[in-house]
């Protein structure tokens, strides 16, 4: 057995120094415990206080809650589109909705030409939009080199069409021979200057020669920069039935009349070998056969 | 940084040192306190209250001086109740290729330590003294080829109640005793160099109430012991022989005491007090010297009887190193040399002890305790580690070169 086996546990304090030392130890322990308790108490108090503060800043129930958002359009956009794109950022209170900012955001979307936003108390937000109708379409590549489809409205605005039905899209001819330029502001493109004339041609053709119009494949503006008075300017249309049609950039009604007559004559005479019909000459048309 | 403390409760004085350990083996002494002991007789506790009071006062002073709190101490142990015995553990080497392994050393050590003590006795130290393989002494037998391995141990044991009292004194201050070290072993760490211990040396620590000794051979302690005679007996002899009070006898011893007499002592007289006041009287110096000489010679004769043939030029070529408070008595080394027949010198603490207070031989025990606390005691030999390039601080270098 070794001396290490003897118990060295706490003994009765036999001297004033030992008692003083013990007292100092207890004081130190007490101080440490008090500090811990203070820190713990402080932490608990802070937690509770923060809880109270959180309760105090609870958002009150809105006085005029936004119950319904009603979305109307003359085109193809749907209520779901609005809810997904812009509806999530709307506040719960109808009176808190910034209708001017919302109108601007809607009109910044290329497909929307005009938006009207109004509050209808007690809880409805009424949104009416006028959509741009696509006249032609474009196929180009974005900055990453991916192919994208764009639509061009009558006013020359280029936009990414959404929710257009495929049967509508298939009847829209492609536009060729134009240069897309970046818009001065935003991510979009600058308006295409040839489009007012092109749109007029398309609308007249669709109205007066709807059956013939369905054969139009693309409209080439490579010889037309938007100025109808420029000498030699013309618009070329490639069709699926008669080859190419060449129009002067003004006087479309007369040109379409001539075209109708030429087509009638060619049907009657059985000319099916037409390569080009050049309508750009006044009172005349040059028909070339294959 | 870890704090270690050492306490020596001597018959005359109680001393405590506080050290701050830096790195692995570097130590700064940051606090010290000492006080006159009360309640001790011949190194043993006669009054627990008196010893407790003075020890606690010293511990309190040391903590205050160091400016830190002590949690555990290394305690010096002495007293006539301490005794020792030698044992040996012998085993047959187990491995088929007869190479001694670490496991063999452990088995032999366990066998040597397995000795049962009589009731009321407790082991204090198991001191490893060396190895023998097939009767040949070696310092490290690992990986050597042998049939028989012997490990030698010197065991120090003491009275359980007296050891318990010593622990009680420290524990009642709220401290734990990390280790209890024999005073002579602690002193030996300080005053004997590695070379002296390797060649053979006897360290004798003559304190107030006891004389502790440790005999080193081959770098290991082979014998220790305590003789219940110390400086107090010199004072007491003077008091009785010259009919003086204890206080005057102590004063005479310190001022005029010598361990050997010479021709001039026959004619010289010294004044008891020295200022020719009432009670002052001349005392023949020869009387003082002869009384002290007789007692000193007695101490060394007892030592010679105890150690017998171990004290010889062949066994202890480094001679005898005398330390402890009584070693300050002039010509004590000559007296030792005359009686023991070997060269003797008075110990000096190592040069790194720069404090004048701690330079004296009476502090070698408590300094040795700190040294002991700094270096772990591990008697089982291990494979030699690769020498590292660590740069120890000055203290550690001095410790290691001691």
């Amino acid at each position: 057995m070794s001396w290490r086996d003897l118990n060295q546990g706490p003994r009765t304090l036999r001297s004033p120094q030992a008692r003083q030392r013990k007292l100092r130890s207890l004081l130190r322990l007490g101080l440490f415990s008090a500090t811990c308790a203070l820190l713990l108490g402080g932490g608990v108090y802070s937690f509770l206080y923060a809880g109270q503060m959180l309760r105090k800043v609870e958002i009150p129930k809105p006085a005029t809650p936004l119950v319904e958002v009603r979305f109307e359009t003359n085109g193809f956009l749907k209520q779901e589109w609005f809810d997904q794109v812009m509806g999530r950022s709307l506040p719960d209170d109808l009176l808190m909705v910034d209708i001017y900012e919302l109108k601007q955001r809607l009109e910044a979307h290329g497909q929307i030409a005009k938006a009207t936003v109004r509050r209808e108390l007690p809880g409805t937000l009424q949104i009416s939009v006028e959509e741009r109708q696509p006249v032609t379409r474009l196929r180009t590549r974005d900055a990453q080199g991916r192919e994208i489809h764009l639509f061009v409205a009558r006013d020359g605005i280029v936009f990414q069409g959404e929710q257009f039905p495929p049967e509508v899209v298939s009847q829209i001819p492609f536009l060729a021979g134009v240069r897309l330029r970046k818009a001065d502001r935003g991510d979009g493109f600058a308006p295409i200057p040839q489009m007012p004339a092109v749109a007029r041609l398309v609308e007249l053709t669709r109205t007066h020669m709807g059956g013939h119009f369905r054969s139009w494949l693309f409209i080439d503006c490579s010889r037309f920069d938007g100025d109808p008075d420029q000498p030699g300017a013309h618009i070329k249309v490639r069709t699926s039935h008669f080859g190419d049609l060449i129009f002067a950039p003004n006087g479309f009604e007369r040109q379409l009349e001539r075209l109708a007559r030429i087509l009638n004559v060619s049907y009657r005479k059985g000319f099916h070998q037409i390569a080009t019909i050049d309508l750009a000459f006044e009172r005349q048309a040059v028909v070339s056969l294959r | 940084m870890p704090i270690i403390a050492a306490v020596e409760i001597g018959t005359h004085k109680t001393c405590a040192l506080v050290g701050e350990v830096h790195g692995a083996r570097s130590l700064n002494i940051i606090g010290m306190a000492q006080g006159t002991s009360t309640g001790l007789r011949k190194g043993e506790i006669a009054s627990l209250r008196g010893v407790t009071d003075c020890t606690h006062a010293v511990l309190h002073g040391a903590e205050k001086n160091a400016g830190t709190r002590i949690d555990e101490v290394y305690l010096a142990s002495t007293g006539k109740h301490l005794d020792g015995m030698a044992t040996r553990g012998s085993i047959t080497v187990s491995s088929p290729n007869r190479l001694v392994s670490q496991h063999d050393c452990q088995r032999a050590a366990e066998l040597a330590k397995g000795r049962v003590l009589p009731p009321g006795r407790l082991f204090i130290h198991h001191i490893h003294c060396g190895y023998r393989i097939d009767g040949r002494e070696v310092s490290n037998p690992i990986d050597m080829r042998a049939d028989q391995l012997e490990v030698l141990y010197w065991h120090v044991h003491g009275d359980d109640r007296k050891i318990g009292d010593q622990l009680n004194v420290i524990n009642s201050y709220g401290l734990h005793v990390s280790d209890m070290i024999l005073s002579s072993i602690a002193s030996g760490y300080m005053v004997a160099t590695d070379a002296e211990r390797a060649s053979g040396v006897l360290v004798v620590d003559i304190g107030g109430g006891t004389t502790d000794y440790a005999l080193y051979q081959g770098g290991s302690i082979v014998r220790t012991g305590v003789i219940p005679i110390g400086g107090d007996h010199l004072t007491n002899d003077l008091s009785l022989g010259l009919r003086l009070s204890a206080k005057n006898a102590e004063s005479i011893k310190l001022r005029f005491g010598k361990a050997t007499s010479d021709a001039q002592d026959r004619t010289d007289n010294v004044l008891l007090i020295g200022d020719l006041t009432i009670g002052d009287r001349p005392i023949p110096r020869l009387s003082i010297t002869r009384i002290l000489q007789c007692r000193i010679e007695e101490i060394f004769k007892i030592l010679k009887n105890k150690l017998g043939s171990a004290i010889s030029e062949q066994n202890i070529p480094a001679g005898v190193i005398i330390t402890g408070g009584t070693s300050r008595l002039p010509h004590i080394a000559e007296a030792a040399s005359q009686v023991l027949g070997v060269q003797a010198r008075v110990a000096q603490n190592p040069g790194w002890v720069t404090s004048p207070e701690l330079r004296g031989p009476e502090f070698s025990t408590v300094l040795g305790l700190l040294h002991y606390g700094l270096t772990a005691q591990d008697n089982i030999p291990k494979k030699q580690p690769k020498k590292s390039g660590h740069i120890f601080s000055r203290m550690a270098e001095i410790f290691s070169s001691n």
Side-chain angles (χ1 to χ4, degrees), chain B residues 363-376:
Chain B
F363 291 104
S364 53
T365 300
V366 74
L367 285 168
L369 286 175
L370 272 189
H371 182 204
Y372 192 93
L374 189 65
T375 54

Side-chain angles (χ1 to χ4, degrees), chain A residues 1-4 6-9 11-18 20-21 24-25 28, chain B residues 49 52 56-57 63 69-70 122-124 168 171-180:
Chain A
M1 192 174 171
S2 166
W3 69 272
R4 290 182 188 279
L6 294 177
N7 177 29
Q8 287 199 58
R11 298 285 199 276
T12 311
L13 303 176
R14 294 180 182 279
S15 69
Q17 290 87 359
Q20 196 182 334
R21 189 174 191 268
R24 278 205 306 272
S25 299
R28 203 173 289 133
Chain B
R49 162 66 66 181
T52 302
H56 288 190
E63 280 189 326
R69 186 185 158 85
I70 307 167
L122 292 174
F123 281 118
I124 293 176
N168 199 8
N171 293 157
S172 61
Y173 189 66
L175 296 179
H176 181 265
V177 177
S178 301
D179 208 344
M180 190 178 267

Side-chain angles (χ1 to χ4, degrees), chain B residues 49-344:
Chain B
R49 162 66 66 181
V51 175
T52 302
D53 283 350
C54 73
T55 307
H56 288 190
V58 166
L59 286 168
H60 178 70
E63 280 189 326
K64 205 172 169 183
N65 188 233
T68 187
R69 186 185 158 85
I70 307 167
D71 290 320
E72 51 187 32
V73 297
Y74 289 86
L75 178 66
S77 179
T78 186
K80 65 181 178 183
H81 67 98
L82 298 175
D83 204 351
M85 63 177 177
T87 61
R88 71 180 56 181
S90 178
I91 60 149
T92 304
V93 176
S94 58
S95 67
N97 54 7
R98 295 190 298 126
L99 290 179
V100 177
S101 65
Q102 184 88 27
H103 178 63
D104 291 326
C105 293
Q106 281 173 348
R107 277 172 54 219
E110 280 164 17
L111 202 65
K113 289 178 185 175
R115 180 71 66 90
V116 179
L117 289 173
R121 304 292 292 178
L122 292 174
F123 281 118
I124 293 176
H125 282 294
H126 298 287
I127 301 164
H128 171 78
C129 305
Y131 291 96
R132 278 187 196 159
I133 51 171
D134 299 335
R136 180 164 55 94
E137 285 190 4
V138 292
S139 59
N140 187 348
I142 302 254
D143 291 341
M144 292 179 79
R145 201 174 291 275
D147 292 321
Q148 200 76 16
L149 172 69
E150 279 180 290
V151 62
L152 310 173
Y153 268 88
W154 176 257
H155 306 276
V156 180
H157 53 92
D159 187 283
D160 59 355
R161 282 167 298 180
K162 288 172 182 172
I163 294 169
D165 284 345
Q166 286 183 330
L167 291 178
N168 199 8
V169 169
I170 302 297
N171 293 157
S172 61
Y173 189 66
L175 296 179
H176 181 265
V177 177
S178 301
D179 208 344
M180 190 178 267
I181 300 112
L182 207 63
S183 293
S184 56
I185 295 174
S187 301
Y189 271 115
M190 274 294 99
V191 299
T193 63
D194 283 342
E196 286 172 329
R197 287 197 289 260
S199 60
V201 69
L202 175 66
V203 176
V204 183
D205 183 342
I206 310 176
T210 59
T211 296
D212 300 82
Y213 62 90
L215 178 66
Y216 290 87
Q217 279 178 350
S220 305
I221 297 168
V222 293
R223 287 283 292 273
T224 61
V226 180
I227 302 167
I229 304 171
D232 278 356
H233 292 81
L234 300 176
T235 307
N236 196 44
D237 290 346
L238 287 175
S239 175
L240 291 173
L242 301 174
R243 298 180 192 281
L244 304 173
S245 67
K247 185 184 168 188
N248 285 337
E250 180 71 14
S251 171
I252 285 285
K253 182 182 84 175
L254 294 175
R255 285 188 294 146
F256 307 112
K258 282 200 301 185
T260 56
S261 58
D262 52 34
Q264 200 180 345
D265 294 339
R266 294 176 189 276
T267 53
D268 274 5
N269 284 330
V270 295
L271 288 171
L272 175 60
I273 303 169
D275 55 3
L276 295 174
T277 52
I278 294 170
D280 200 2
R281 62 183 170 91
I283 297 171
R285 185 187 278 265
L286 185 63
S287 305
I288 299 168
T289 311
R290 292 195 74 170
I291 289 169
L292 295 177
Q293 186 178 1
C294 286
R295 183 59 89 171
I296 289 291
E297 282 177 0
E298 186 198 9
I299 291 171
F300 290 122
K301 277 176 184 167
I302 293 171
L303 198 59
K304 190 171 186 179
N305 286 338
K306 276 184 175 276
L307 294 173
S309 61
I311 300 183
S312 66
E313 290 282 1
Q314 290 76 32
N315 288 330
I316 47 171
V320 178
I321 301 173
I322 305 161
T323 186
T326 306
S327 69
R328 285 184 178 275
L329 194 69
H331 304 300
I332 193 165
E334 291 166 29
S337 189
Q338 280 170 13
V339 175
L340 300 173
V342 291
Q343 60 170 327

Side-chain angles (χ1 to χ4, degrees), chain A residues 69-140:
Chain A
V69 177
R70 206 177 290 152
F71 183 80
E72 291 175 355
T73 178
N74 64 341
F76 301 99
L77 292 175
K78 294 186 177 67
Q79 174 92 34
E80 291 76 32
W81 171 84
F82 176 81
D83 292 342
Q84 191 175 354
V85 176
M86 296 184 191
R88 289 175 185 172
S89 59
L90 292 177
D92 294 336
D93 193 336
L94 179 62
L95 295 179
M96 297 296 287
V97 177
D98 186 344
I99 56 173
Y100 300 103
E101 188 263 342
L102 185 57
K103 176 182 161 66
Q104 283 180 348
R105 281 172 59 201
L106 283 166
E107 289 180 351
H109 197 272
Q111 192 168 336
I112 296 172
K114 186 181 176 189
T116 307
V117 183
R118 68 174 185 274
R119 300 187 190 97
E120 288 183 2
L121 293 172
T124 305
L125 185 68
Q126 177 69 42
I127 298 163
S128 303
V129 297
E130 285 179 24
E131 288 185 37
R132 288 191 172 90
Q133 299 304 315
V135 177
T136 57
R137 50 179 169 157
L138 283 169
R139 193 180 288 154
T140 184

